[in-house]
Every structure is written in C-alpha cells, then in structure tokens.
Amino acid sequence: MEKIEHIGIAVKNLVEAEKTYTALLGISPYKREAVESEHVTTSFFKIGETKIELLESTSPESAIAKFIDKKGEGIHHIAYAVNDIISEMKSLKEQGFTLLNETPKKGADNKLICFVHPKSAGGVLTELCQEIR
Ligand code: CMX
C-alpha cells in the first residue's frame, strides 16, 4: 500500500456536510460525483496528500443508508492507494482477508476499487484503490 488515498465519511445531507467541511478545512470541494453502482453521491476535498470523501446515499438499500441507520453519520471507510490492485487483492486473499468483490470495480474519482470486509480488518471497512491509467 502506498498511502491513505482518502477517508470516506457517511453523511445524511451532502449540501449541509459540504458547508461544514468547507468551514472546517478552509477549502471547497473540488468535485461532486454520483457513483450509481454504489447508490451514492460523493463530494471530494483535497487536504495535502489525502482526500476526504463525503458520501450521501441515493437509495435506502445502499451501504451508506444502512450504515447511517445503524451507527449514525461518521467515518465509514479508509481507502489506501495501491499500484497494482490485482496483485494486492491476491495477496490479501491469500492472507485470509475477506474481499467484497472478486474483481476490481469502477469507483469515484477515476479509480478501480475493491473493499475488504470490516470483520476481517479490525472493524474498519477498508478500500483499495488504483488510479485508472
Ligand atoms: N465499518 C465498520 N463496520 C461496518 C461497516 C463499516 N463501514 N459497515 C458495516 N459494518 C459492520 C456492522 O456494524 C455489522 O457488525 P455487527 O455484526 O457487529 O453488528 C456488520 O458489519 C454487518 O453489517 P450490516 O449492516 O449487516 O451490513 P452488511 O453486512 O449488509 O454490509 C458491508 C456490510 C461492509 C459488506 C457493506 O457495507 C459493503 O458491501 N460495503 C462496501 C461497499 C460500500 O461501502 N459502498 C459505499 C461506498 C462507495 C464509495 O466509496 O464510492
């Protein structure tokens, strides 16, 4: 893994959360993007080398809606940048981690992504992401 690429934060209302994070971080979001396959709308802030991804659900069935129902708003996942997502996935699987998808999926912000189940990663939903080159 190379670095923390972003931290995902589940929010109820993206517009309100954007205002809060703009005030908190002193910068504006650089992009808003819908990820239809995940039923979310995302908003990204760049803070140094890392990004903050705000996630608002677009469907009651989405992982974000379920998370907010259970735990409320807050940190949802940590995403690590990787150079070669296929080999990282293979290596994690061999070590016993539970991957939530067999092949990388297209995520927000021009990334190939794969999630690792929180139950196999110390209670933290973990995402691998590789820039689409
Ligand atoms: N962090 C830590 N624990 C989590 C979690 C999270 N984000 N989401 C769920 N859990 C825990 C729950 O608390 C629960 O624990 P207990 O059994 O101890 O109560 C357990 O995992 C199962 O939770 P659940 O509500 O029944 O949820 P599901 O099993 O239906 O789904 C998960 C959990 C991780 C498989 C699902 O959320 C998932 O597939 N996530 C990956 C996709 C995703 O999160 N997409 C949204 C972001 C997209 C993006 O970044 O673009």
Side-chain angles (χ1 to χ4, degrees), residues 6 8 35 37-40 42 44 53 55 62-64 66-67 70-71 75-77 79 100-101 105-108 113 115-119 122-127:
H6 67 265
V35 186
S37 58
E38 298 289 335
H39 307 289
V40 292
T42 64
F44 282 91
E53 177 189 33
L55 297 143
S62 76
I64 295 302
K66 284 189 188 169
F67 178 87
K70 241 182 173 173
K71 304 194 190 213
I75 293 180
H76 179 258
H77 64 266
L100 290 171
N101 39 299
K105 298 199 285 186
K106 170 96 172 59
I113 63 169
F115 283 95
V116 180
H117 200 289
K119 292 284 173 195
V124 178
L125 177 62
T126 300
E127 179 183 348

Side-chain angles (χ1 to χ4, degrees), residues 14 18 28-33 42-45 52 108-110:
L14 198 61
E18 279 176 342
S28 300
Y30 69 89
K31 87 149 77 163
R32 209 191 259 185
E33 186 179 342
T42 64
S43 184
F44 282 91
F45 292 78
I52 297 295
D109 210 25
N110 195 41

